[in-house]
Amino acid sequence: MTAFDETAGTFEGRAFPGEAEWLDLPVPPITADFVERTIAALSGEGLAGRADSALRATNGEDRLTPAVLAAFAAPAPSRDFVQRTLHAVQEQRRSRWQELLARHVAPDPSPDFVARTLAALARRDEQGDPHAAIRKHPLRLWIWPLLTIAAAAAVFLLLQRAPQPPIELRLAQQVRPAFAHAYASSPLPAVLAELDRRADPSAMPNGGADGIWLLQRRDR
Amino acid sequence: MNWRARPGSLRCALLALLSWLGMPLCAQSAAPDTSSDRKLTPDGAALAKDAIGDVLRRLDAAFDRGDVDGYLAQFSVDGSTPDHPGAQAMLRQRLAALFALGVPLHRTSSLVGEPVRIGPRTVVRVRHEIHATFPEPQGQRVIVEDSLLALRSGAGATAVPTFAVEIAGDAEFLVGRPFQCPACNYAIGGVDGWLCVPTRRDRAQALEGASFYRIGTDLACDVSVQIDDELTAPTIVAERLGQALRQLDPASKPRLATAWLPPAHAATPPRELAGARIEVDLPADAASSDGSRAVFHVSAFGALQHLLLVRGSNRALRDHEAALQALLHSFHLLDGNCDRALAAARPVEHHTGGALSNGVYQNEKFQLELTGPKGWKAQQRCGGAEFKVVWTSPGGSRLWLTGYAVPPGLERWCSRTADLWLGDLCSNMGMQQGAAAGDWVRIEPCDVLSRSMTWVGKPGSAPSTLAQRQLRCLLRDDLLVVADSTLADDADKAPMRAAIDSLIRR
């Protein structure tokens, strides 16, 4: 008979105890050398030693020999290890910053950039600009000032936002109208109710009902 | 209110331009003065009742027409602006809610008591009886609201309203006398030119609340009594208040909290007294072109906290600095040597009627009792509910007992309104009613209705939403009581059930 019978759900012929029954189970027999063995195991060779022992126990032979362990040992650092590491880190930071700044900083113009640009503009003037007549049209001269005035007017109107209601109403609007303190003339009750909610979040709100709100609902 | 169409905004822009061009004096002298009154009655003489009666008739007529703009226009006769734009905005909000009932409304307003002269204004208490005709079976309902109305004299012998604010029905407004509560161990007020308006607890979200209005200006100071069993340092409380305000209104900018003591105790402070304040800059709004400010003051005597929130336009705060300091100076503890534990327990018992003893909550005012599970931490909390108690098990399970007063505008609770309120709470917590919800059952000897139900998380609700809540509700004409719980440890199930079942009306 196997120890665990999956079909019957029994172990060594007994039903597996429920969670509550665990505490009522008889204490397993303790051998005389239990304490000594436990202390010896705890004061053994640490984690590696315990793992080693476990491997020995399962396979019956040493697998983690000193030679094997030596293969995983970290090599001794070279003399210039620190300098090389620091240099590598700084190089990496420098290239990273360069990459980031390159996205935002335009390259310097070449020395002859200004000369070439001025020459090109001079050539265009000599050949005649087809759009010059349009730019000099009297209507065109008025458009920019008019647009500027319109923009200023729009900004002024946008700044003329609706004034806020008084603090009493602003806070009352944060309270559900079912509560009596939603109609208080002072903002203090709303603040106190908020503090009460924070102090005992799972409790029912510590506020009374408003009768007019109840009458409204009752009539529906 | 249509905040876009404000007369004088172009004028403000021109004045700002003048100021920017280097003519600040010119701009300042021409700026609108909300604090001045162009037509004052002679000092000491209140407006005649007839003139005030005319105003009430005009307001009632606009109300009956459902004309919000027409109603509020009464406050801006002759191009003047109302005294307090914030209160005016909330008045519009309230009127809109009433008109949203969608049924014929008829209002009759009458004076309660004599008109009183405060600074440049005449102040009267007004009772509004609103007759609402609902379809059957509801039929006719009467909604009673009390408000304070400030007026100035208009052309001829007429009166012009400048300010209206709701007042708790069972409270009196105070002029020239301090507002004090021996249970809450404080007094404030009695300073010339300030009107004290006590607020309903469910509107104030506090054990006790009142607002002081500097008559004729947009300056106000709110007083709120809180209990903090955690004994949080006042600077932290002030920081939290500032941050909570910023969370609700991202345009506001809290500064750093600093130590502060009520001026009356600054020289020789009682041993247990500590305090802090924080200023919050508020952006320019429809009423204050140069911005406004809110200043939270926290005075802590053990777990008992008195919060003072000063708010107003920067201009009003500047112009009325002396009057404001006089009001803040009037705040003082009635007994600076009383026992710290007693100082915190007394106001809760006085205002809620309840007390905890060995985990058992007893409420003498509403004759209720609930025996909490043994070994659980019990704590009373204050807020807008009539009372609230929470028991927490070592494993994290929680049991809450909350009492809701009759909501403003209703005469009493009924099962229909209770269901609406519970349904709204349930839905807004991301939950829905479980299948096995019982109906309201009358418990004869106690003359209360009782109902048990389960709320379960809505499919797809936020992960923070609790999976299930067990509720038991008791309903009386004057109170809705909800015992609800969440389970964090299976071992807490039985004691929690027993605690909920122990809720009785004695």
Side-chain angles (χ1 to χ4, degrees):
Chain A
M1 187 174 78
T2 56
F4 179 61
D5 183 347
E6 194 173 345
T7 317
T10 56
F11 181 75
E12 293 178 349
R14 292 168 302 170
F16 198 76
E19 194 177 343
E21 297 169 80
W22 274 106
L23 292 175
D24 298 328
L25 288 176
V27 179
I30 298 173
T31 55
D33 61 340
F34 173 77
V35 176
E36 286 75 15
R37 277 194 299 114
T38 308
I39 291 172
L42 288 172
S43 58
E45 295 170 331
L47 188 62
R50 281 201 296 276
D52 197 11
S53 309
L55 280 170
R56 270 193 215 108
T58 48
N59 296 339
E61 59 182 5
D62 273 351
R63 292 179 65 186
L64 290 176
T65 59
V68 172
L69 288 172
F72 293 100
S78 61
R79 293 179 67 180
D80 60 343
F81 171 74
V82 176
Q83 286 78 7
R84 279 193 298 112
T85 309
L86 271 176
H87 180 72
V89 168
Q90 279 171 347
E91 273 299 301
Q92 197 181 17
R93 280 168 60 87
R94 195 171 64 81
S95 60
R96 178 70 184 140
W97 273 108
Q98 223 167 20
E99 192 184 317
L100 281 172
L101 289 170
R103 292 183 196 168
H104 305 290
V105 180
D108 289 337
S110 62
D112 60 343
F113 171 78
V114 178
R116 276 192 289 117
T117 308
L118 287 173
L121 287 171
R123 273 199 305 279
R124 199 175 68 168
D125 267 2
E126 285 166 11
Q127 290 165 3
D129 183 358
H131 302 292
I134 299 170
R135 276 206 298 271
K136 287 174 184 168
H137 193 278
L139 189 62
R140 176 89 179 201
L141 293 174
W142 280 98
I143 279 197
W144 282 113
L146 286 173
L147 278 177
T148 310
I149 292 168
V155 168
F156 177 76
L157 289 173
L158 282 174
L159 288 175
Q160 287 285 91
R161 286 180 306 174
Q164 296 203 60
I167 183 70
E168 292 83 354
L169 184 57
R170 293 208 298 275
L171 260 59
Q173 285 169 341
Q174 302 297 316
V175 180
R176 284 193 306 110
F179 287 109
H181 66 271
Y183 305 95
S185 305
S186 158
L188 185 55
V191 174
L192 293 171
E194 172 63 20
L195 285 180
D196 192 77
R197 189 191 62 77
R198 286 189 199 176
D200 199 356
S202 55
M204 279 192 201
N206 191 1
D210 183 68
I212 303 302
W213 182 87
L214 285 173
L215 285 174
Q216 268 181 38
R217 293 296 161 119
R218 187 193 159 111
D219 202 33
R220 282 180 191 171
Chain B
M1 185 182 288
N2 181 5
W3 299 105
R4 200 176 288 270
R6 183 173 178 265
S9 59
L10 185 60
R11 186 175 170 226
C12 287
L14 286 172
L15 290 170
L17 182 64
L18 282 175
S19 174
W20 185 68
L21 288 171
M23 287 175 270
L25 289 176
C26 167
Q28 198 169 352
S29 63
D33 183 2
T34 54
S35 66
S36 67
D37 190 3
R38 291 176 295 137
K39 293 170 183 171
L40 297 179
T41 50
D43 252 1
L47 288 165
K49 278 187 176 179
D50 288 349
I52 299 170
D54 286 343
V55 170
L56 295 183
R57 275 187 288 280
R58 285 201 300 274
L59 291 175
D60 284 346
F63 185 93
D64 291 354
R65 291 196 304 273
D67 180 4
V68 180
D69 289 330
Y71 191 101
L72 297 174
Q74 301 288 331
F75 293 73
S76 304
V77 176
D78 310 332
S80 61
T81 52
D83 283 341
H84 204 289
Q88 191 79 350
M90 294 314 298
L91 175 60
R92 170 178 284 273
Q93 191 88 331
R94 190 63 184 160
L95 290 171
L98 280 162
F99 296 147
L101 286 172
V103 297
L105 299 174
H106 171 65
R107 192 177 85 170
T108 313
S109 301
S110 54
L111 289 182
V112 180
E114 292 298 311
V116 177
R117 175 79 187 206
I118 304 176
R121 301 284 186 260
T122 294
V123 177
V124 287
R125 185 185 187 123
V126 180
R127 179 151 299 154
H128 308 287
E129 286 189 5
I130 302 164
H131 298 261
T133 312
F134 288 90
E136 292 301 333
Q138 277 208 72
Q140 184 95 354
R141 267 180 181 273
V142 180
I143 301 164
V144 180
E145 291 185 344
D146 278 16
S147 70
L148 291 183
L149 186 68
L151 307 106
R152 66 174 173 82
S153 60
T158 62
V160 177
T162 60
F163 166 76
V165 66
E166 183 191 38
I167 181 172
D170 55 353
E172 60 172 332
F173 73 99
L174 300 171
V175 182
R177 277 188 296 143
F179 178 69
Q180 63 177 6
C181 176
C184 297
N185 192 17
Y186 77 107
I188 181 172
V191 180
D192 279 349
W194 290 92
L195 170 69
C196 172
V197 186
T199 321
R200 283 179 60 107
R201 281 190 52 211
D202 45 13
R203 292 252 200 262
Q205 282 285 122
L207 274 180
E208 183 170 67
S211 291
F212 286 82
Y213 293 93
R214 180 75 184 162
I215 284 295
T217 77
D218 64 3
L219 194 56
C221 176
D222 307 305
V223 183
S224 177
V225 180
Q226 303 283 320
I227 299 294
D228 175 23
D229 284 336
E230 308 296 330
L231 299 174
T232 314
T235 26
I236 304 289
V237 176
E239 291 280 357
R240 285 180 184 166
L241 287 164
Q243 290 307 322
L245 176 55
R246 186 185 171 82
Q247 172 141 351
L248 294 168
D249 182 40
S252 56
K253 292 177 182 156
R255 298 184 190 177
L256 285 176
T258 52
W260 172 87
L261 277 178
H265 297 293
T268 51
R271 202 162 53 88
E272 302 286 354
L273 185 66
R277 76 195 282 277
I278 187 170
E279 291 191 20
V280 184
D281 292 319
L282 304 171
D285 58 36
S288 54
S289 55
D290 66 340
S292 42
R293 222 176 327 146
V295 189
F296 292 99
H297 300 79
V298 182
S299 167
F301 188 77
L304 173 65
Q305 281 178 358
H306 299 105
L307 306 182
L308 309 175
L309 169 60
V310 173
R311 56 192 160 98
S313 63
N314 284 329
R315 178 139 195 250
L317 284 162
R318 242 184 349 255
D319 292 352
H320 300 275
E321 171 71 15
L324 175 61
Q325 289 308 321
L327 180 69
L328 291 176
H329 209 102
S330 71
F331 171 81
H332 63 277
L333 298 177
L334 294 174
D335 180 3
N337 296 314
C338 78
D339 177 68
R340 197 165 91 157
L342 184 67
R346 204 166 42 187
V348 179
E349 189 162 359
H350 176 77
H351 288 289
T352 68
L356 274 165
S357 175
N358 295 324
V360 180
Y361 178 73
Q362 289 184 322
N363 192 307
E364 293 301 326
K365 186 174 169 186
F366 296 106
Q367 296 166 342
L368 286 169
E369 185 175 306
L370 189 147
T371 305
K374 284 223 168 9
W376 290 31
K377 181 186 168 193
Q379 189 182 25
Q380 290 198 74
R381 301 183 66 91
C382 59
E386 190 68 29
F387 59 82
K388 184 158 198 145
V389 194
V390 55
W391 287 264
T392 309
S393 80
S397 299
R398 308 195 80 189
L399 167 65
W400 294 273
L401 181 70
T402 314
Y404 295 103
V406 178
L410 294 186
E411 289 168 320
R412 62 183 185 87
W413 278 110
C414 66
S415 58
R416 177 94 177 99
T417 45
D419 283 341
L420 281 169
W421 175 236
L422 291 169
D424 183 70
L425 289 175
C426 172
S427 161
N428 280 285
M429 292 178 79
M431 307 195 88
Q432 62 189 17
Q433 203 153 293
D439 209 349
W440 291 100
V441 178
R442 183 167 291 281
I443 303 175
E444 283 304 338
C446 314
D447 194 27
V448 292
L449 294 175
S450 172
R451 185 180 185 192
S452 296
M453 60 184 99
T454 305
W455 290 357
V456 292
K458 281 181 189 168
S461 55
S464 58
T465 306
L466 293 162
Q468 192 167 311
R469 298 177 87 103
Q470 298 288 339
L471 282 90
R472 183 168 172 232
C473 311
L474 292 186
L475 182 64
R476 310 166 10 157
D477 284 355
D478 61 345
L479 189 73
L480 168 66
V481 185
V482 180
D484 78 312
S485 57
T486 59
L487 199 63
D489 186 346
D490 277 341
D492 294 333
K493 197 170 185 176
M496 185 184 285
R497 188 72 255 168
I500 290 178
D501 289 343
S502 76
L503 173 62
I504 52 161
R505 186 186 177 192
R506 289 186 292 124

